[in-house]
Amino acid sequence: MINNHPKFELIQAFVNGDLPASLSAGIAIHADMCVECQKTIAQFTEQVAENSFEEEFLDRFIVDDNDALESIAAIDFDHMINAIVDSSDIDVVVPTIEKNISFNDETYIIPTALNSMELGKHAHIGKLTRTRIQLNENEIHTSLLHIQPGGGVPEHTHKGFELTVLLAGSFHDESGEYVKGDFIMLDGSHQHNPVSTNGCLCYTVASAPLHFTKGINKLLNPIGSFIY
Ligand SMILES: [Zn+2]
């Protein structure tokens, strides 16, 4: 069961279109698997749409003269909405083309939100495989990260933020077990050592290289920049 969801402020920013493509895709991927957040997004979207409709209406009310006001009053909204709902024009089914990606002989379906994004080549280090998602967001790096069974990342913290959305499999750290669909947003106040017993595939967004807290940071830096 999914236990980790985006904070409401993040959902608000998502609906308002204020998020970079990387985080926006992270929320879309999570919502695809989470009925609870789908509902929250739908409700907030409706609220935003209502507000902007009212604003537009009030703008006209203030600037326009009486003739215009009368013409607004003359619009038969019920009739208009019925016409839209009845129209066969909106009855278009857009086919979803499934795209696959393979890691270590296992094939995964790429989340719909990532379908139009360009993916880089696989790069490997130990049990980790990373595929960059080319979003060109400067210091924000986005990837698919695959961990083979028994693999993990040495204990680290973050100078910026690190978002992980679990696409398949599971992993655990000091805070518990994470499963498919979990949306895990961490920052410098979190320190963890994620390990995947049975392997997993994650969507990751990071705004700075990892900072290792145990062992010799210099020796681990290649892993840090690899994952970032
Ligand atoms: Zn959710």
Side-chain angles (χ1 to χ4, degrees), residues 44-226:
F44 191 66
T45 305
E46 201 178 313
Q47 204 179 311
V48 169
E50 263 170 32
N51 289 346
S52 60
F53 179 80
E54 271 167 31
E55 263 167 41
E56 200 185 312
F57 193 84
L58 283 177
D59 278 351
R60 291 208 234 167
F61 188 86
I62 291 160
V63 281
D64 284 352
D65 56 24
N66 279 336
D67 287 350
L69 251 182
E70 269 167 32
S71 71
I72 290 167
I75 296 172
D76 183 346
F77 284 101
D78 285 343
H79 181 263
M80 193 171 83
I81 287 162
N82 284 338
I84 294 167
V85 173
D86 286 344
S87 165
S88 58
D89 293 350
I90 57 162
D91 204 19
V92 178
V93 179
V94 183
T96 1
I97 303 151
E98 263 181 17
K99 276 194 183 179
N100 295 325
I101 190 162
S102 294
F103 291 94
N104 297 88
D105 300 332
E106 269 210 66
T107 303
Y108 302 89
I109 296 166
I110 293 177
T112 321
L114 306 180
N115 265 353
S116 60
M117 295 178 187
E118 195 190 327
L119 301 181
K121 286 182 185 158
H122 284 8
H124 307 272
I125 193 166
K127 290 185 171 178
L128 310 176
T129 306
R130 184 209 65 198
T131 299
R132 198 66 92 206
I133 299 172
Q134 322 283 11
L135 289 175
N136 304 316
E137 292 181 324
N138 301 316
E139 75 280 3
I140 301 176
H141 292 186
T142 304
S143 315
L144 291 176
L145 181 70
H146 181 263
I147 306 178
Q148 284 178 55
V153 182
E155 187 172 298
H156 64 273
T157 182
H158 315 95
K159 282 187 178 148
F161 68 82
E162 180 197 71
L163 166 68
T164 306
V165 184
L166 246 168
L167 305 178
S170 63
F171 75 84
H172 61 268
D173 69 7
E174 291 73 358
S175 311
E177 178 88 15
Y178 303 97
V179 296
K180 183 179 169 178
D182 268 326
F183 183 99
I184 309 139
M185 183 65 108
L186 300 175
D187 60 26
S189 63
H190 305 91
Q191 189 168 315
H192 69 156
N193 169 209
V195 173
S196 181
T197 311
N198 299 311
C200 66
L201 179 65
C202 303
Y203 172 79
T204 67
V205 184
S207 65
L210 311 189
H211 180 74
F212 294 98
T213 42
K214 271 188 184 161
I216 303 165
N217 199 40
K218 254 187 197 169
L219 292 181
L220 296 172
N221 273 342
I223 302 178
S225 43
F226 176 84

Side-chain angles (χ1 to χ4, degrees), residues 2 4-6 30 34 36-37:
I2 300 176
N4 299 274
H5 307 266
H30 169 80
C34 177
E36 215 176 293
C37 287

